[in-house]
Amino acid sequence: MITKIAWKNIWHKPLNTALSIILLTASVAIITLLILLQQQFEKKFNDNVDGIDLVLGAQGSPLQLILSAVYQVDAPTGNISYDEAKVWMRKPSVKEAIPLAFGDNYRGFRIVGTTPGYLSHFGATIASGKVFNKNFEVVVGSDIARKMNLKVGDTFFGSHGDAAEGELHKDHAYVVTGIATPTGKVVDNLILSNVASVWAMHHEHGHEEEGSVADAHNHESHEHDHEGHDAAAHEDHHEHEAHHHEDEAISEEGQEITAVLLKFRGPQPVIMWPRMIAMNTKMQAAAPGLEINRLFSLFGIGLQALQYLAYGIMLISGISIFIALYNTLKERKYEFALLRVNGASRLQLLLLVLIESLLLCVTGFIFGTIVGRIGLQLISGSSESEFKMAFNPYEFVWDKEGYLLALTIFVGIIAAVIPAVKAYSLNISKTLANA
């Protein structure tokens, strides 16, 4: 009964009520959006960096190297010599070394030359088909397969470089041999081939007139295969194998790759290598954890400012609820006195004012939670096309959103305290005599 009266009273002055609800909705929406963004963003960033101790790449910005090699969102810092990289990849302290070679894209999705170890590193298995083992065979990430409707056996041409509008390589079609399982990680948005495919594509692209070089290298390549076979890591084995299958074998000598993802057996090299590599080679080694923390601290300042803004709006909405309740109290003294005459207790009047305030707050919270998620859906759409990173608006962060609900209710109670106490201590006879 009290709740019903409270609900009717709220809408007695619709503009005041609408203003209070809009302010609350705005503050709750911003905070909800930030909570979800931060939670999912950090989780995605940390999941992808798991198990990568250092990234070996061309000199330049270490953050750019991490973003391009681990998250596939930035342009790479350049290429490095594969021969030079192998020296470090084969050190005894290295547990896993995954080479990456970028060159082309298919409709804006990166084609990455690597080893099957890349798939297993991110916990992806083959949902249908098999792993690439010849040149120009590719495994397609689950998101791309879904969006582009690619199936095992399909063929397509890559475009040169990172831009979807790049020049098409018509001389070699890629064949889809496998579709990867969804992982929620960066691999879902990549097309993977062996490293030799990237070389073959650009070998021909860059040296049309040197067509015979490949044949001259043939013999050398086989020799090289046998030499390096025992020393090479297991993943490299697949790469060497690929050379035999394709009629045009490509020598590894003098070739370039973009980066190497390294995992060590112990913590020592993570500290020592970046300095050693910077001093002794033309490469750099960047630690993903370090760079991502730096990125988060930069991001954090902006998120913090937005959060303060949202709490400020919430404070204003609390004040607006207080003013609305306080102002209507003056007009409703007579109504309250009549309620008392008709048998309502002082406590019921106190509850009536409290419930009105709480109804406003809970309505604002519900709308804010919905609007915040709609906002995340919109951000997710643009971030997916831009950074290949999607967010889930239906995820609930119970602990933080629970705090937010508690805070909203607290604002409502504080706003209602003075008006509720005034209603409680109303002097019936005086009010009625004045009326």
Side-chain angles (χ1 to χ4, degrees):
M1 182 65 190
I2 295 184
T3 312
K4 205 169 180 182
I5 297 172
W7 184 251
K8 287 234 169 85
N9 282 341
I10 291 179
W11 293 106
H12 175 62
K13 290 214 157 170
L15 280 177
N16 280 352
T17 301
L19 176 69
S20 301
I21 288 180
I22 286 169
L23 283 170
L24 258 176
T25 299
S27 61
V28 172
I30 294 173
I31 298 169
T32 302
L33 180 64
L34 292 180
I35 287 172
L36 292 174
L37 259 182
Q38 213 167 357
Q39 177 87 2
Q40 298 190 24
F41 195 71
E42 287 188 13
K43 187 177 184 310
K44 278 193 191 307
F45 262 77
N46 293 332
D47 280 357
N48 283 316
V49 106
D50 248 9
I52 301 171
D53 293 328
L54 284 181
V55 178
L56 195 60
Q59 285 175 350
S61 150
L63 180 60
Q64 187 184 345
L65 174 62
I66 300 300
L67 289 176
S68 67
V70 180
Y71 301 102
Q72 310 285 341
V73 290
D74 206 347
T77 48
N79 284 338
I80 55 176
S81 147
Y82 191 37
D83 293 329
E84 197 174 12
K86 271 194 299 200
V87 174
W88 296 86
M89 288 164 71
R90 290 174 180 171
K91 298 257 186 209
S93 55
V94 174
K95 186 176 181 183
E96 187 180 37
I98 303 171
L100 302 176
F102 304 154
D104 297 329
N105 75 87
Y106 171 59
R107 299 203 185 162
F109 292 103
R110 227 177 232 185
I111 299 170
V112 177
T114 184
T115 63
Y118 187 81
L119 280 164
S120 47
H121 172 82
F122 286 107
T125 53
I126 302 294
S128 62
K130 62 183 180 66
V131 174
F132 52 84
N133 68 354
K134 298 186 185 141
N135 290 0
F136 305 111
E137 291 186 340
V138 292
V139 169
V140 177
S142 58
D143 282 0
I144 303 179
R146 193 187 72 241
K147 287 177 204 154
M148 297 292 166
N149 202 10
L150 287 172
K151 296 176 294 298
V152 174
D154 288 355
T155 58
F156 61 85
F157 292 107
S159 312
H160 188 62
D162 267 346
E165 303 77 47
E167 166 198 351
L168 270 184
H169 286 313
K170 281 286 173 59
D171 38 5
H172 283 300
Y174 288 99
V175 183
V176 179
T177 59
I179 308 288
T181 51
T183 61
K185 296 180 188 173
V186 64
V187 69
D188 295 351
N189 277 297
L190 295 177
I191 297 170
L192 305 174
S193 70
N194 62 7
V195 180
S197 304
V198 177
W199 292 338
M201 190 65 80
H202 295 92
H203 180 82
E204 235 168 71
H205 188 69
H207 316 277
E208 244 84 57
E209 69 281 3
E210 295 174 25
S212 56
V213 174
D215 305 284
H217 275 320
N218 238 344
H219 172 64
E220 192 180 307
S221 156
H222 284 290
E223 261 176 31
H224 188 78
D225 273 9
H226 292 302
E227 269 168 34
H229 221 283
D230 305 327
H234 170 67
E235 302 104 60
D236 277 324
H237 174 66
H238 292 279
E239 247 174 67
H240 291 299
E241 228 172 49
H243 301 172
H244 301 295
H245 290 304
E246 190 73 5
D247 35 18
E248 168 210 12
I250 291 187
S251 164
E252 286 182 1
E253 270 180 56
Q255 294 290 0
E256 292 187 325
I257 57 170
T258 314
V260 184
L261 307 181
L262 296 168
K263 184 175 168 56
F264 297 111
R265 298 183 195 282
Q268 200 71 36
V270 184
I271 304 154
M272 311 277 291
W273 277 35
R275 215 169 71 242
M276 282 161 57
I277 286 173
M279 282 165 63
N280 299 314
T281 70
K282 294 194 181 108
M283 303 183 289
Q284 68 164 335
L290 206 67
E291 297 307 321
I292 293 315
N293 284 344
R294 197 173 295 170
L295 183 69
F296 278 154
S297 62
L298 292 175
F299 260 120
I301 300 165
L303 289 178
Q304 205 82 48
L306 271 175
Q307 224 149 1
Y308 290 143
L309 171 74
Y311 287 125
I313 298 173
M314 189 178 268
L315 182 67
I316 296 167
S317 67
I319 295 168
S320 103
I321 292 171
F322 165 71
I323 293 171
L325 290 174
Y326 197 78
N327 283 345
T328 53
L329 252 184
K330 290 178 187 161
E331 303 154 19
R332 286 163 57 194
K333 271 185 180 169
Y334 182 56
E335 175 200 326
F336 282 166
L338 283 178
L339 280 171
R340 287 294 309 277
V341 170
N342 285 324
S345 69
R346 283 169 178 268
L347 195 64
Q348 281 174 313
L349 291 190
L350 181 105
L351 277 174
L352 181 65
V353 178
L354 259 180
I355 288 170
E356 282 179 31
S357 178
L358 290 179
L359 280 173
L360 281 174
C361 288
V362 171
T363 309
F365 179 81
I366 292 168
F367 282 151
T369 308
I370 294 167
V371 172
R373 287 178 156 73
I374 292 170
L376 188 65
Q377 184 91 51
L378 297 175
I379 289 176
S380 180
S382 62
S383 76
E384 190 167 16
S385 57
E386 199 58 36
F387 302 117
K388 312 280 181 271
M389 194 181 267
F391 298 102
N392 171 19
Y394 306 110
E395 185 182 317
F396 279 86
V397 185
W398 294 111
D399 50 345
K400 289 183 182 170
E401 290 189 66
Y403 283 138
L404 185 55
L405 176 59
L407 182 68
T408 315
I409 287 172
F410 178 69
V411 167
I413 292 171
I414 292 292
V417 163
I418 297 174
V421 170
K422 274 200 154 317
Y424 181 81
S425 54
L426 186 75
N427 186 327
I428 306 178
S429 48
K430 216 174 171 182
T431 308
L432 291 177
N434 290 345

